[in-house]
Amino acid sequence: MLRTADYYRRHAQAYALSTRNVDMAPLYERFLALVPAGGLILDAGCGSGRDSLAFTQRGYRVEAFDASPELAELAAQHTGLPVHVRTFLTLTDTARFDAIWACASLLHVPECDQPEAWARLWAALKAGGVIYASYKLGQGKRTDEQGRAFTDADEARLTSWIQPLDHQGALHTWLTHDQRPSQQQTWLNVLVQRHPATP
């Protein structure tokens, strides 16, 4: 993970600029249809702050964090929101969020830590809430040419990580293609809902 952190330290500005204008509207539509109006969304691994800003502009309340101090600072400047520096494995909130958005961020968590990362997100989610996440489609771990470590996923691997989560409701997965012109990447997307509280 050190080389991944070093990449974002050295290339934060370029990365933010390259991702900030990607059209995410189709994903927003599917996700926000499951979020109550004005609900509290956690943007987990917010990167450039693109999605946090989009959610606030749509009237949702947003909290955000990123593991990279450099990206967190850029996201705060872009959104006007406080952006915390933390990792998935240091998340300790309990039943606070109506929804959690983890777009292209869990993919940097080592495979051995994926179940714990999901468990911490799940604990932070309110009853009836929903989590969106995306991974590069694949079946293993790898390091790209920039030195960033990735944990790829297919539906079977993803299911093994989230199967232990209690009170799990609907699970939807689908594939999309990267919207950046320079990228030829297939993404695995997932929406997983938590059962509403029992009356």
Side-chain angles (χ1 to χ4, degrees):
M1 293 298 290
L2 290 177
R3 293 182 67 187
T4 302
D6 184 58
Y7 171 85
Y8 288 112
R9 181 167 55 252
R10 290 184 289 111
H11 301 286
Q13 186 73 49
Y15 176 82
L17 291 175
S18 72
T19 59
R20 192 168 284 163
N21 295 318
V22 176
D23 181 13
M24 303 293 288
L27 294 177
Y28 295 158
E29 183 176 354
R30 294 184 72 152
F31 173 66
L32 295 175
L34 302 171
V35 185
L40 178 60
I41 298 173
L42 174 64
D43 190 354
C46 66
S48 68
R50 172 197 63 207
D51 304 324
S52 291
L53 181 60
F55 298 147
T56 58
Q57 290 173 338
R58 287 163 171 79
Y60 296 91
R61 295 172 294 130
V62 178
E63 294 185 12
F65 73 80
D66 200 274
S68 164
E70 292 78 17
L71 281 176
E73 182 177 353
L74 290 172
Q77 293 171 6
H78 184 58
T79 63
L81 298 170
V83 177
H84 302 285
V85 178
R86 67 187 315 176
T87 69
F88 289 97
L89 300 188
T90 61
L91 186 63
T92 58
D93 297 89
T94 302
R96 286 197 61 233
F97 300 99
D98 296 294
I100 297 174
W101 176 266
C103 181
S105 52
L106 279 164
L107 48 67
H108 285 314
V109 175
E111 182 178 2
C112 62
D113 292 328
Q114 287 285 334
E116 181 181 351
W118 272 98
R120 287 176 178 267
L121 291 174
W122 200 246
L125 190 66
K126 290 180 181 178
V130 62
I131 296 176
Y132 167 81
S134 59
Y135 294 84
K136 295 187 177 188
L137 183 64
Q139 298 179 332
K141 61 182 180 180
R142 61 187 172 81
T143 302
D144 72 3
E145 59 273 12
Q146 285 88 30
R148 295 178 297 173
F150 288 91
T151 299
D152 295 339
D154 58 14
E155 188 169 345
R157 282 163 63 83
L158 174 66
T159 300
S160 73
W161 299 331
I162 68 176
Q163 188 275 332
L165 304 178
D166 59 357
H167 306 295
Q168 190 177 146
L171 172 67
H172 302 284
T173 62
W174 71 101
L175 302 180
T176 54
H177 298 288
D178 205 302
Q179 297 300 303
R180 292 170 293 175
S182 62
Q183 299 294 317
Q184 302 293 321
Q185 179 65 54
T186 300
W187 290 86
L188 174 69
N189 303 270
V190 58
L191 284 169
V192 57
Q193 293 176 264
R194 189 176 188 127
H195 280 306
T198 303

